[in-house]
Amino acid sequence: MAKELVSLQLLPPQFHIPRHFIALSSPSTLNLRPKPPQNPIFIRRATTQSHRHKTSNDDDAIPANEVKTIAKFKSRHNYIRVIEVSRKTEHPLAGSRLLLLDNPGNIHSISFLLKTLTDSYFDVFATLPPIIPPGPIGVLGFGAGSTARLILELYPPEITVHGWEIDPCVIDVGREYFGLSKLERDHKDRIFINIGDALNASVKTGFSGILVDLFSEGSVIEELQDPKVWKSLKSRLRKRGRIMVNVGGRCVEAEDSERDGDLVMEETLKAMSQVFGDKLFVLTLGNGNDSSLALTGDLPDLDAWKKRLPLPELRSFVDMWKPFTKFRLKY
């Protein structure tokens, strides 16, 4: 682990996670409503006022004896925590390992021991490979490797992943606690991790697809509200290449109260629309209180897209894309 680790105080006795973090569905349905890993895990404090996403139902809290803190330290870029949620708890995150970043405790990676899918927007990212040309996929904002794992495990070996992460400590945590080292060994010719500014990401042959998941201090980074940045990213795509983006939403809890999740999402989409025009689509998860994703390019043939997806659970996302011109915020 990096030299910058410092010890911190123990966490309070209970974790509070909003009920709407993941809307569960029965195994026979595909109506998944994932929440984004940026959604905070709230820590219950009796002396503080209710958080804007916090509910009063005690069922949303996970007792301390069902949550294990594995690592906790500060790096140059982040306040990093790794926790495990007991498989015995009655909660959607039961059996998961979570990477928390930023002071609010935003979730940036999710891993389940006994299943591949994450029931989060990472699963939407995993639908990109069938609708892009052959070639490398860039993951900007690599985290502990949740997106890379899905792509490498679900798709054939000709697909490669090139990830960028600004914080080397996050990669250390991924290797130590999220199986990233094993993923690199098992797919040594398919995964390439770069430490540095993701907005400088490039490969000589151009990307067939780019997955953008860039947050800082609990908010979509400011650069993504600049059309020039999207024009630059577009120039690094191969012909018929696409970009899929986590643009956040009201569920995203920023450290700066002026960085409202909905407004930042809207400004990000507007910046993208100046570059991609009517070739921009939006998918909103859940009931409008969850995260949204953006997709560039012409809308693919939906039936063909579904047939090429490796798991039936992913097909429900295909019908959820709407043109940005018809996208409306649900205030």
mmCIF file of all heavy atoms in Angstrom, residues 294-314:
data_model
loop_
_atom_site.group_PDB
_atom_site.id
_atom_site.type_symbol
_atom_site.label_atom_id
_atom_site.label_comp_id
_atom_site.label_asym_id
_atom_site.label_seq_id
_atom_site.Cartn_x
_atom_site.Cartn_y
_atom_site.Cartn_z
ATOM 1 N N ALA A 294 -25.423 8.449 -20.245
ATOM 2 C CA ALA A 294 -25.547 8.988 -21.595
ATOM 3 C C ALA A 294 -24.817 8.073 -22.565
ATOM 4 O O ALA A 294 -23.812 7.454 -22.221
ATOM 5 C CB ALA A 294 -24.975 10.397 -21.662
ATOM 6 N N LEU A 295 -25.323 7.992 -23.784
ATOM 7 C CA LEU A 295 -24.748 7.166 -24.842
ATOM 8 C C LEU A 295 -24.691 7.986 -26.123
ATOM 9 O O LEU A 295 -25.669 8.627 -26.500
ATOM 10 C CB LEU A 295 -25.592 5.910 -25.064
ATOM 11 C CG LEU A 295 -25.190 4.997 -26.229
ATOM 12 C CD1 LEU A 295 -23.846 4.334 -25.954
ATOM 13 C CD2 LEU A 295 -26.270 3.944 -26.482
ATOM 14 N N THR A 296 -23.554 7.946 -26.805
ATOM 15 C CA THR A 296 -23.409 8.679 -28.061
ATOM 16 C C THR A 296 -23.550 7.752 -29.265
ATOM 17 O O THR A 296 -23.409 6.542 -29.145
ATOM 18 C CB THR A 296 -22.043 9.380 -28.125
ATOM 19 O OG1 THR A 296 -21.002 8.395 -28.246
ATOM 20 C CG2 THR A 296 -21.795 10.221 -26.887
ATOM 21 N N GLY A 297 -23.835 8.343 -30.417
ATOM 22 C CA GLY A 297 -23.976 7.584 -31.652
ATOM 23 C C GLY A 297 -25.429 7.349 -32.007
ATOM 24 O O GLY A 297 -26.341 7.658 -31.233
ATOM 25 N N ASP A 298 -25.660 6.788 -33.189
ATOM 26 C CA ASP A 298 -27.018 6.425 -33.585
ATOM 27 C C ASP A 298 -27.553 5.330 -32.668
ATOM 28 O O ASP A 298 -26.793 4.466 -32.209
ATOM 29 C CB ASP A 298 -27.034 5.923 -35.035
ATOM 30 C CG ASP A 298 -26.699 7.027 -36.036
ATOM 31 O OD1 ASP A 298 -27.260 8.125 -35.895
ATOM 32 O OD2 ASP A 298 -25.879 6.774 -36.933
ATOM 33 N N LEU A 299 -28.855 5.368 -32.399
ATOM 34 C CA LEU A 299 -29.445 4.319 -31.580
ATOM 35 C C LEU A 299 -29.360 2.995 -32.336
ATOM 36 O O LEU A 299 -29.811 2.896 -33.480
ATOM 37 C CB LEU A 299 -30.901 4.641 -31.259
ATOM 38 C CG LEU A 299 -31.561 3.747 -30.203
ATOM 39 C CD1 LEU A 299 -30.896 3.942 -28.851
ATOM 40 C CD2 LEU A 299 -33.056 4.043 -30.098
ATOM 41 N N PRO A 300 -28.775 1.964 -31.731
ATOM 42 C CA PRO A 300 -28.625 0.677 -32.423
ATOM 43 C C PRO A 300 -29.963 -0.029 -32.632
ATOM 44 O O PRO A 300 -30.986 0.355 -32.065
ATOM 45 C CB PRO A 300 -27.731 -0.130 -31.458
ATOM 46 C CG PRO A 300 -27.205 0.847 -30.474
ATOM 47 C CD PRO A 300 -28.210 1.949 -30.388
ATOM 48 N N ASP A 301 -29.941 -1.068 -33.444
ATOM 49 C CA ASP A 301 -31.090 -1.957 -33.571
ATOM 50 C C ASP A 301 -31.264 -2.656 -32.213
ATOM 51 O O ASP A 301 -30.399 -3.426 -31.785
ATOM 52 C CB ASP A 301 -30.829 -2.988 -34.674
ATOM 53 C CG ASP A 301 -31.989 -3.947 -34.855
ATOM 54 O OD1 ASP A 301 -32.213 -4.774 -33.936
ATOM 55 O OD2 ASP A 301 -32.650 -3.888 -35.900
ATOM 56 N N LEU A 302 -32.370 -2.395 -31.554
ATOM 57 C CA LEU A 302 -32.534 -2.854 -30.175
ATOM 58 C C LEU A 302 -32.611 -4.372 -30.062
ATOM 59 O O LEU A 302 -32.039 -4.976 -29.151
ATOM 60 C CB LEU A 302 -33.777 -2.210 -29.565
ATOM 61 C CG LEU A 302 -33.791 -0.672 -29.522
ATOM 62 C CD1 LEU A 302 -35.019 -0.177 -28.762
ATOM 63 C CD2 LEU A 302 -32.516 -0.120 -28.906
ATOM 64 N N ASP A 303 -33.329 -5.020 -30.987
ATOM 65 C CA ASP A 303 -33.439 -6.477 -30.929
ATOM 66 C C ASP A 303 -32.092 -7.141 -31.144
ATOM 67 O O ASP A 303 -31.742 -8.109 -30.453
ATOM 68 C CB ASP A 303 -34.444 -6.971 -31.971
ATOM 69 C CG ASP A 303 -35.876 -6.602 -31.620
ATOM 70 O OD1 ASP A 303 -36.155 -6.425 -30.408
ATOM 71 O OD2 ASP A 303 -36.709 -6.485 -32.536
ATOM 72 N N ALA A 304 -31.323 -6.639 -32.095
ATOM 73 C CA ALA A 304 -29.998 -7.196 -32.352
ATOM 74 C C ALA A 304 -29.080 -6.979 -31.156
ATOM 75 O O ALA A 304 -28.278 -7.856 -30.798
ATOM 76 C CB ALA A 304 -29.400 -6.554 -33.603
ATOM 77 N N TRP A 305 -29.205 -5.817 -30.530
ATOM 78 C CA TRP A 305 -28.394 -5.508 -29.343
ATOM 79 C C TRP A 305 -28.695 -6.511 -28.231
ATOM 80 O O TRP A 305 -27.785 -7.082 -27.621
ATOM 81 C CB TRP A 305 -28.704 -4.083 -28.909
ATOM 82 C CG TRP A 305 -27.832 -3.513 -27.825
ATOM 83 C CD1 TRP A 305 -26.807 -4.133 -27.163
ATOM 84 C CD2 TRP A 305 -27.920 -2.192 -27.277
ATOM 85 N NE1 TRP A 305 -26.251 -3.281 -26.230
ATOM 86 C CE2 TRP A 305 -26.915 -2.088 -26.277
ATOM 87 C CE3 TRP A 305 -28.755 -1.103 -27.526
ATOM 88 C CZ2 TRP A 305 -26.733 -0.920 -25.543
ATOM 89 C CZ3 TRP A 305 -28.563 0.055 -26.793
ATOM 90 C CH2 TRP A 305 -27.564 0.150 -25.814
ATOM 91 N N LYS A 306 -29.969 -6.746 -27.969
ATOM 92 C CA LYS A 306 -30.355 -7.686 -26.917
ATOM 93 C C LYS A 306 -29.812 -9.087 -27.171
ATOM 94 O O LYS A 306 -29.327 -9.768 -26.246
ATOM 95 C CB LYS A 306 -31.885 -7.741 -26.798
ATOM 96 C CG LYS A 306 -32.524 -6.482 -26.246
ATOM 97 C CD LYS A 306 -34.042 -6.623 -26.238
ATOM 98 C CE LYS A 306 -34.721 -5.351 -25.780
ATOM 99 N NZ LYS A 306 -36.193 -5.455 -25.810
ATOM 100 N N LYS A 307 -29.878 -9.525 -28.421
ATOM 101 C CA LYS A 307 -29.435 -10.885 -28.745
ATOM 102 C C LYS A 307 -27.938 -11.070 -28.520
ATOM 103 O O LYS A 307 -27.479 -12.183 -28.268
ATOM 104 C CB LYS A 307 -29.794 -11.210 -30.194
ATOM 105 C CG LYS A 307 -31.287 -11.396 -30.438
ATOM 106 C CD LYS A 307 -31.579 -11.653 -31.904
ATOM 107 C CE LYS A 307 -33.075 -11.817 -32.158
ATOM 108 N NZ LYS A 307 -33.386 -12.020 -33.596
ATOM 109 N N ARG A 308 -27.191 -9.998 -28.610
ATOM 110 C CA ARG A 308 -25.731 -10.105 -28.481
ATOM 111 C C ARG A 308 -25.249 -9.917 -27.052
ATOM 112 O O ARG A 308 -24.058 -10.063 -26.783
ATOM 113 C CB ARG A 308 -25.069 -9.063 -29.385
ATOM 114 C CG ARG A 308 -25.348 -9.281 -30.869
ATOM 115 C CD ARG A 308 -24.589 -8.291 -31.723
ATOM 116 N NE ARG A 308 -23.146 -8.457 -31.594
ATOM 117 C CZ ARG A 308 -22.244 -7.610 -32.069
ATOM 118 N NH1 ARG A 308 -22.651 -6.513 -32.694
ATOM 119 N NH2 ARG A 308 -20.964 -7.833 -31.922
ATOM 120 N N LEU A 309 -26.147 -9.614 -26.138
ATOM 121 C CA LEU A 309 -25.754 -9.460 -24.735
ATOM 122 C C LEU A 309 -25.547 -10.831 -24.103
ATOM 123 O O LEU A 309 -26.328 -11.752 -24.324
ATOM 124 C CB LEU A 309 -26.817 -8.666 -23.972
ATOM 125 C CG LEU A 309 -26.880 -7.181 -24.333
ATOM 126 C CD1 LEU A 309 -28.115 -6.527 -23.715
ATOM 127 C CD2 LEU A 309 -25.617 -6.456 -23.899
ATOM 128 N N PRO A 310 -24.517 -10.983 -23.287
ATOM 129 C CA PRO A 310 -24.159 -12.308 -22.763
ATOM 130 C C PRO A 310 -25.062 -12.819 -21.647
ATOM 131 O O PRO A 310 -25.061 -14.015 -21.365
ATOM 132 C CB PRO A 310 -22.732 -12.103 -22.248
ATOM 133 C CG PRO A 310 -22.659 -10.642 -21.922
ATOM 134 C CD PRO A 310 -23.529 -9.953 -22.925
ATOM 135 N N LEU A 311 -25.808 -11.928 -20.978
ATOM 136 C CA LEU A 311 -26.698 -12.345 -19.901
ATOM 137 C C LEU A 311 -28.080 -11.745 -20.111
ATOM 138 O O LEU A 311 -28.208 -10.562 -20.455
ATOM 139 C CB LEU A 311 -26.151 -11.886 -18.539
ATOM 140 C CG LEU A 311 -24.838 -12.506 -18.075
ATOM 141 C CD1 LEU A 311 -24.396 -11.878 -16.753
ATOM 142 C CD2 LEU A 311 -24.953 -14.011 -17.926
ATOM 143 N N PRO A 312 -29.138 -12.514 -19.892
ATOM 144 C CA PRO A 312 -30.495 -11.984 -20.100
ATOM 145 C C PRO A 312 -30.820 -10.814 -19.181
ATOM 146 O O PRO A 312 -31.628 -9.961 -19.528
ATOM 147 C CB PRO A 312 -31.394 -13.189 -19.819
ATOM 148 C CG PRO A 312 -30.556 -14.146 -19.033
ATOM 149 C CD PRO A 312 -29.147 -13.942 -19.497
ATOM 150 N N GLU A 313 -30.195 -10.775 -17.997
ATOM 151 C CA GLU A 313 -30.479 -9.694 -17.056
ATOM 152 C C GLU A 313 -30.085 -8.324 -17.601
ATOM 153 O O GLU A 313 -30.580 -7.291 -17.124
ATOM 154 C CB GLU A 313 -29.736 -9.927 -15.731
ATOM 155 C CG GLU A 313 -30.204 -11.137 -14.954
ATOM 156 C CD GLU A 313 -29.461 -12.402 -15.331
ATOM 157 O OE1 GLU A 313 -28.878 -12.459 -16.436
ATOM 158 O OE2 GLU A 313 -29.457 -13.349 -14.534
ATOM 159 N N LEU A 314 -29.195 -8.306 -18.583
ATOM 160 C CA LEU A 314 -28.749 -7.031 -19.143
ATOM 161 C C LEU A 314 -29.715 -6.466 -20.177
ATOM 162 O O LEU A 314 -29.644 -5.280 -20.521
ATOM 163 C CB LEU A 314 -27.369 -7.202 -19.785
ATOM 164 C CG LEU A 314 -26.224 -7.620 -18.855
ATOM 165 C CD1 LEU A 314 -24.945 -7.828 -19.671
ATOM 166 C CD2 LEU A 314 -25.995 -6.587 -17.765
#
